[in-house]
């Protein structure tokens, strides 16, 4: 445990940061001086190091170190903790995430130390690669100062100063008529899917300034709680959840919305119109997936006088270090950590969903007002108007047209590639050096597990180890330890690289035919696995039959999703089919 005192002898505030960053000049420049400029008495500031057992400290490491650190901090009178590590911050506060809590002062949840106040501040070492982190740290320091003066107010607490929730068709019609009087409106929808044909229009919100909104349900209806199963991408399995609303089809409100969009003459502002606009085009104007007339009519209406604050943000903030384009990240200092779990809007009670939607449109105004002047000042407005905005017409067309698939051929290719993958794996298992590697890994597992058991002993036949060619650590051991191949490149974490280009290059760095066979088999396996997992699986899972019997796959496209400004695609990424595949 190391510390820096800045010459102080009495303490009340501690900066917690990894040991290599525990530098008196840097702590002073990035934390002490900004606090002093905010009127905070920094005579009680002290810096303490944090312990790591790996790049991200394990839960065991954090818990054990805090059990030692917190009593020491309490003994010297510390009341405030500025934690410059996300993992330690989560342990101290019980929060699931760190960055969304920048700008907040939270109570410590570690038993016995609930009197401590904790705020998250990014390590100054991350500022170069992510400039936005410095701004978020400033928010946290401002929150700490206001908290120390008993003037603390949570970010976003008073965003919605005026909000209306019309619930009847008549009230909604009245409000849509009133909205036509405003020269500009921000708009946002919450929907049931990222796919336009399944999305519906859950709720929709309109704001005429950054503190006011009118929001109402369209295809959402509140109901008694009921159980559903939701796919968890992280754990890769379905989990039971409780839903609070159901998706319906509301033709009356849809007709009102269609009329509103067709007759509104003001400016419409969206954050990611490539999603909201595409969904509304399909849901309000297209009769089916092949309705070209509806597509073109809806597209013209939705892009008439439309602005996209996400593209504006990209042009205003893009640097070689990258940027964050999300609405919540860009509006964080205004709305705070208001993000709810809206990956499936059924999980939210209707009142919460409506409020969330309303905050989104207020946040869109804030982001537009913040970044549009920056874009203009940076001489990016011409690019926005002459390149990016016109490109939205093509993006709508691509998104809503999709790509035809020959499903019988896709299944045939799946079987062919599956055979190639199985043969590549079989080739590897027949090589002596691979067999030695697998045996060593199993023996290591036996040793580790038996050391932890008290009344049980296992042997090699009871191990769970599987040779996984998608595992970087396994390939590193096989290639560089067992096979003794030279390390041609390393990863950002200084580990030997096992990328496809490196594997192909390693073939030229060995004279052994068996090693060449191994490397060729691994490369072949990786190429085939990428096609199968990234494309074939998505083609079969996400394709949909159209009215004429054709099968199509619909991806998502976005401008400003890359540092270079090129178009990005996802779900699936239609632009990255491996060459020659």
């Amino acid at each position: 445990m190391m510390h820096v005192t800045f010459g102080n002898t009495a303490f009340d505030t501690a900066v917690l940061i990894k040991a290599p960053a525990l530098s008196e000049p840097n702590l002073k420049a990035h934390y002490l001086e900004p606090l002093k400029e905010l009127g905070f008495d920094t005579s009680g500031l002290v810096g303490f190091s944090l312990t790591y057992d790996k790049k991200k400290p394990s839960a065991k490491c954090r818990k054990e170190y805090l059990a030692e650190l917190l009593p020491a901090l309490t003994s010297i009178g510390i009341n405030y903790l500025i934690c410059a590590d996300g993992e330690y911050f989560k342990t101290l506060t019980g929060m699931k995430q760190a960055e969304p809590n920048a700008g907040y002062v939270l109570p410590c949840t570690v038993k016995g130390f609930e009197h401590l106040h904790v705020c998250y501040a990014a390590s100054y070492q991350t500022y170069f690669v992510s400039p936005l982190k410095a701004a978020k740290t400033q928010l946290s320091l401002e929150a700490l100062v206001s908290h120390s003066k008993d003037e603390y107010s949570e970010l976003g607490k008073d965003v919605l100063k005026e909000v209306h929730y019309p619930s009847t068709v008549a009230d909604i019609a009245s409000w849509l008529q009133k909205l036509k009087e405003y020269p500009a409106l921000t708009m946002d929808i919450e929907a049931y899917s990222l796919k336009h044909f399944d999305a519906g229009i859950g709720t929709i919100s309109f704001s005429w300034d950054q503190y006011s909104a009118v929001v109402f349900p369209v295809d959402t209806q509140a109901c008694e709680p009921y159980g559903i199963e939701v796919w968890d991408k992280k754990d890769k399995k379905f989990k039971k959840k409780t839903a609070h609303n159901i998706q319906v089809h509301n033709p009356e409100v849809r007709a009102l919305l269609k009329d509103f969009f067709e007759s509104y003459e003001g400016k419409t502002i969206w954050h990611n119109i490539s999603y909201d606009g595409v969904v509304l085009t399909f849901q309000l104007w297209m009769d089916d997936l092949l309705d070209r007339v509806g597509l073109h009519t809806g597209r013209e209406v939705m892009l008439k006088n439309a602005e996209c604050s996400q593209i504006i943000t990209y042009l205003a903030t893009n640097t070689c270090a990258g940027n964050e384009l999300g609405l919540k990240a860009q509006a964080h200092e205004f709305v705070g950590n208001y993000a709810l779990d809206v990956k499936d809007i059924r999980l939210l009670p209707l009142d919460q969903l409506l409020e969330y939607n309303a905050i989104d449109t207020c946040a869109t105004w804030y982001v537009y007002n913040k970044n549009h002047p920056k874009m203009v000042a940076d001489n990016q407005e011409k690019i926005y108007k002459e390149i990016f905005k016109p490109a939205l017409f093509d993006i709508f067309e691509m998104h809503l047209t999709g790509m035809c698939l020959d499903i019988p051929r896709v299944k045939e290719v799946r079987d062919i590639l599956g055979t190639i993958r199985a043969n590549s794996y079989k080739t590897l298992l027949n090589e002596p050096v691979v067999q030695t590697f697998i045996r060593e890994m199993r023996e290591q597992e036996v040793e580790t597990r038996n050391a932890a058991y008290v009344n049980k002993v296992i042997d090699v036949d009871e191990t769970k180890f599987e040779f996984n060619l998608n595992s970087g650590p396994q390939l590193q051991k096989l290639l560089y330890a067992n096979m003794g191949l030279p390390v041609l490149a390393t990863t950002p974490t200084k580990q030997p690289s096992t990328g496809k280009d490196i594997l192909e290059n390693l073939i030229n760095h060995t004279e052994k035919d068996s090693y060449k066979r191994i490397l060729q088999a691994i490369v072949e396996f990786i190429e085939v696995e990428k096609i199968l997992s990234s494309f074939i699986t998505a083609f079969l899972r996400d394709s949909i039959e159209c009215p004429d019997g054709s099968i199509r796959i619909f991806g998502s496209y976005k401008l400003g999703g890359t540092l270079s400004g090129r178009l990005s695609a996802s779900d699936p990424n239609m632009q990255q089919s491996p060459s020659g595949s």
Side-chain angles (χ1 to χ4, degrees):
M1 185 188 302
M2 298 183 290
H3 67 274
V4 172
T5 64
F6 308 101
N8 305 333
T9 57
F11 311 102
D12 55 29
T13 306
V15 178
L16 310 182
I17 198 166
K18 64 174 61 178
L22 192 69
S23 155
E24 183 175 345
N26 283 312
L27 293 185
K28 187 174 182 179
H30 296 288
Y31 305 109
L32 188 147
E33 291 299 333
L35 283 170
K36 186 178 291 186
E37 290 177 7
L38 292 169
F40 187 73
D41 182 3
T42 58
S43 63
L45 196 69
V46 61
F48 273 85
S49 64
L50 294 172
T51 293
Y52 295 72
D53 55 353
K54 50 186 177 181
K55 185 178 180 180
K56 279 190 176 182
S58 66
K60 181 175 182 292
C61 171
R62 301 194 303 268
K63 185 176 180 180
E64 290 179 351
Y65 185 63
L66 289 176
E68 176 186 357
L69 177 64
L70 293 181
L73 295 176
T74 300
S75 69
I76 62 173
I78 296 297
N79 292 313
Y80 289 98
L81 302 179
I82 302 172
C83 186
D85 178 273
E87 299 304 309
Y88 271 99
F89 174 83
K90 289 186 283 187
T91 301
L92 285 165
T93 61
M95 294 290 110
K96 293 182 178 180
Q97 294 178 294
E99 285 208 21
N101 287 291
Y104 289 82
V105 178
L106 301 174
C108 178
T109 58
V110 178
K111 189 175 181 179
F113 300 95
E114 293 85 353
H115 63 285
L116 294 175
H117 305 289
V118 188
C119 64
Y120 172 72
S123 170
Y124 66 84
Q125 294 179 322
T126 65
Y127 293 176
F128 179 76
V129 296
S130 185
L132 191 57
K133 290 183 182 292
K136 289 185 176 181
T137 293
Q138 182 67 20
L139 281 178
S140 292
L141 298 182
E142 291 171 0
L144 185 151
V145 173
S146 63
H147 193 279
S148 69
K149 297 178 179 179
D150 292 326
E151 299 171 355
Y152 175 69
S153 179
E154 287 190 357
L155 290 176
K157 187 176 180 181
D158 299 317
V159 169
L160 295 177
K161 297 185 184 299
E162 179 187 353
V163 60
H164 304 272
Y165 300 97
S167 58
T168 67
V169 173
D171 286 344
I172 291 171
S174 175
W175 263 106
L176 289 174
Q177 191 61 36
K178 292 177 185 177
L179 290 173
K180 293 179 184 179
E181 300 172 6
Y182 292 99
L185 295 167
T186 56
M187 306 178 183
D188 180 75
I189 64 168
E190 299 298 338
Y192 285 91
S193 172
L194 294 177
K195 298 295 184 183
H196 56 276
F197 45 83
D198 287 331
I201 310 170
T203 64
I204 189 165
S205 179
F206 303 86
S207 284
W208 47 95
D209 60 45
Q210 63 188 42
Y211 297 102
S212 310
V214 57
V215 57
F216 50 85
V218 183
D219 295 335
T220 297
Q221 182 176 301
C223 64
E224 292 296 320
Y226 64 99
I228 60 172
E229 288 194 339
V230 178
W231 179 254
D232 189 303
K233 284 188 176 181
K234 183 179 180 181
D235 294 338
K236 296 182 178 180
K237 64 180 181 180
F238 284 98
K239 291 185 176 180
K240 293 182 178 181
K241 301 284 186 178
T242 300
H244 299 273
N245 66 74
I246 56 173
Q247 183 177 1
V248 297
H249 186 79
N250 193 332
E252 292 180 295
V253 176
R254 281 169 169 257
L256 291 174
L257 281 175
K258 184 177 178 181
D259 174 74
F260 169 80
F261 285 119
E262 290 177 344
S263 58
Y264 180 62
E265 296 297 329
K267 178 166 63 179
T268 64
I269 306 169
W270 310 79
H271 197 83
N272 190 15
I273 194 173
S274 298
Y275 174 73
D276 299 64
V278 164
V279 169
L280 288 167
T281 296
F282 179 80
Q283 295 292 333
L284 296 180
W285 283 275
M286 294 176 66
D287 292 331
D288 56 57
L289 290 165
L290 299 180
D291 181 2
R292 309 300 296 171
V293 174
L295 189 163
H296 293 145
T297 302
R299 179 183 64 175
E300 292 297 322
V301 172
M302 293 311 302
L303 291 177
K304 175 188 64 176
N305 300 325
E307 306 283 352
C308 182
S309 59
Q310 187 175 76
I311 296 177
I312 289 170
T313 296
Y314 167 76
L315 292 169
T317 65
N318 196 38
T319 67
C320 292
N323 52 6
E324 294 184 65
L325 301 179
L327 182 62
K328 293 160 188 63
Q330 283 294 323
H332 181 80
E333 65 272 23
F334 176 60
V335 296
N337 182 22
Y338 77 103
L340 299 171
D341 183 4
V342 290
K343 293 176 183 176
D344 189 328
I345 64 173
R346 294 176 298 172
L347 303 180
L348 295 180
L350 184 55
D351 60 340
Q352 290 185 25
L353 179 61
L354 290 169
E355 182 180 24
Y356 178 90
N357 200 178
I359 293 174
D360 267 353
T361 49
C362 289
T364 301
W365 262 122
Y366 176 82
V367 172
Y368 179 81
N369 290 335
K370 178 177 78 168
N371 289 329
H372 188 272
K374 292 180 182 178
M375 178 188 72
V376 174
D378 199 32
N379 297 318
Q380 301 287 309
E381 188 175 22
K382 184 177 181 180
I383 295 173
Y384 172 64
K385 289 182 176 180
E386 297 183 5
I387 298 178
F388 280 77
K389 284 185 67 175
L392 287 170
F393 284 84
D394 295 321
I395 288 178
F396 272 48
E397 184 92 18
M398 293 160 60
H399 199 137
L400 290 164
T401 301
M403 181 179 76
C404 287
L405 291 175
D406 182 344
I407 290 298
R409 177 57 177 163
V410 172
K411 292 180 178 178
E412 182 183 352
V413 170
R414 175 196 61 189
D415 295 339
I416 293 171
L417 294 178
T419 299
I420 294 173
R421 180 175 59 180
N423 289 339
S424 299
Y425 195 75
K426 184 177 180 181
T427 296
L428 291 167
L429 295 181
N430 287 333
E431 294 293 341
V433 67
V434 176
Q435 293 171 356
T436 299
F437 161 76
I438 292 173
R439 186 183 68 251
E440 290 176 356
M441 294 299 290
R442 287 176 175 167
E443 290 173 349
Q444 180 179 325
E445 181 185 337
V446 168
E447 184 178 342
T448 301
R449 289 175 61 184
N450 283 339
Y453 291 144
V454 177
N455 299 316
K456 181 180 178 180
V457 175
I458 66 167
D459 57 30
V460 173
D461 294 333
E462 297 174 272
T463 57
K464 300 177 181 179
F465 174 78
E466 291 184 6
F467 183 28
N468 180 7
L469 288 170
N470 294 314
S471 168
Q474 286 191 32
L475 284 182
Q476 289 167 2
K477 184 179 186 310
L478 171 63
L479 298 175
Y480 303 115
N482 291 76
M483 295 170 62
L485 295 171
V487 177
L488 303 181
T490 58
T491 67
T493 58
K494 307 303 180 184
Q495 296 299 309
S497 177
T498 58
K500 177 174 169 287
D501 292 343
I502 297 298
L503 296 173
E504 290 175 335
N505 201 359
L506 282 171
I507 295 174
N508 301 316
H509 288 265
T510 180
E511 298 297 325
K512 295 182 179 181
D513 290 338
S514 62
Y515 283 15
K516 291 183 179 182
R517 285 196 302 271
I518 289 171
L519 290 165
Q520 289 167 345
I522 295 174
V523 169
E524 189 173 63
F525 182 97
I526 290 173
E527 288 178 335
V528 169
E529 179 69 16
K530 180 177 181 180
I531 298 171
L532 284 169
S533 62
S534 299
F535 298 98
I536 300 299
T537 300
F539 288 168
L540 293 173
R541 181 190 64 225
D542 298 332
S543 57
I544 184 170
E545 184 175 353
C546 296
D548 64 353
S550 65
I551 305 296
R552 297 189 182 221
I553 185 84
F554 294 88
S556 297
Y557 303 91
K558 185 167 71 173
L559 284 173
T562 63
L563 289 176
S564 63
R566 62 176 174 80
L567 183 72
S568 63
S570 59
D571 301 319
N573 188 342
M574 311 287 263
Q575 299 183 116
Q576 287 194 346
S577 178
S579 61
S581 62

